[in-house]
Amino acid sequence: MKPAKLLPFLAIVALLILSSCSTDTSVRDEISAIEIPDAPEAKLIEIEIMELINAYRISQGLNTLNEHHTVKAVAFTHTDYMVEVDHVSHDNFFQRKQSLELNAGANIVTENVAYGFSSASSVVNAWINSPSHKENIEGDFTDFDISAEQNENGEWYFTNIFIKR
């Protein structure tokens, strides 16, 4: 076969091969494979934080947020990580965001983290007095949850995740 006649055939074969291989699907499968652990039972400090945040939102004329089991489970994985590495951070936020988009139907995801506060009111007040954290608390979200865990010295780490579905 002459090269000029072979070229259209090769182009069609190449298009078929390219359209049958989608990196989106493999990435989506890989992300959906991220295991979401069972969320632990809510601790009193976590319940108090959620109540304080919703009370604050009401005082600002905003809707209250619903607690969400999957959000709590994802928050727990990050708090547990921060305790393990003994460092407060937003490390791996993109993975938490993708996991919540796929497993909780989230369209928007954000989080507040903290360390060392000994009461619900102290951590919530600190977040409200920080412009970027306050922006998250006052954001246009539908659901949230929190994880609070103590390290071996009894110091608290917090991850508060907000989503909009």
Side-chain angles (χ1 to χ4, degrees), residues 21-165:
C21 298
S22 173
T23 56
D24 264 2
T25 303
S26 62
V27 168
R28 208 173 299 123
D29 290 344
E30 182 179 317
I31 295 167
S32 64
I34 295 171
E35 188 175 325
I36 306 280
D38 288 333
E41 288 293 316
K43 296 173 187 66
L44 181 58
I45 194 168
E46 295 168 337
I47 294 166
E48 291 172 346
I49 290 169
M50 293 173 63
E51 289 173 350
L52 288 168
I53 288 173
N54 270 334
Y56 175 80
R57 288 179 61 87
I58 290 168
S59 77
Q60 301 300 303
L62 301 169
N63 65 299
T64 58
L65 302 175
N66 302 305
E67 61 185 272
H68 195 287
H69 184 76
T70 304
V71 172
K72 179 165 188 57
V74 171
F76 171 73
T77 64
H78 185 59
T79 306
D80 192 47
Y81 163 80
M82 291 191 300
V83 168
E84 185 178 315
V85 299
D86 193 29
H87 178 72
V88 66
S89 72
H90 293 284
D91 292 354
N92 307 310
F93 173 73
F94 186 68
Q95 289 176 333
R96 289 188 295 288
K97 180 179 182 286
Q98 285 184 321
S99 182
L100 289 167
E101 288 170 346
L102 287 167
N103 297 294
N107 295 312
I108 300 172
V109 180
T110 193
E111 71 182 11
N112 288 341
V113 296
Y115 161 79
F117 296 94
S118 59
S119 70
S121 60
S122 64
V123 71
V124 172
N125 286 334
W127 283 333
I128 290 171
N129 288 309
S130 163
S132 61
H133 294 97
K134 180 179 178 180
E135 185 178 325
N136 289 341
I137 289 172
E138 293 179 350
D140 182 20
F141 301 107
T142 55
D143 307 272
F144 75 141
D145 223 307
I146 186 154
S147 171
E149 298 296 325
Q150 290 178 293
N151 66 11
E152 61 190 26
N153 299 322
E155 300 162 317
W156 288 99
Y157 284 82
F158 305 90
T159 304
N160 187 199
I161 299 179
F162 302 85
I163 69 169
K164 181 174 184 174
R165 293 188 291 153

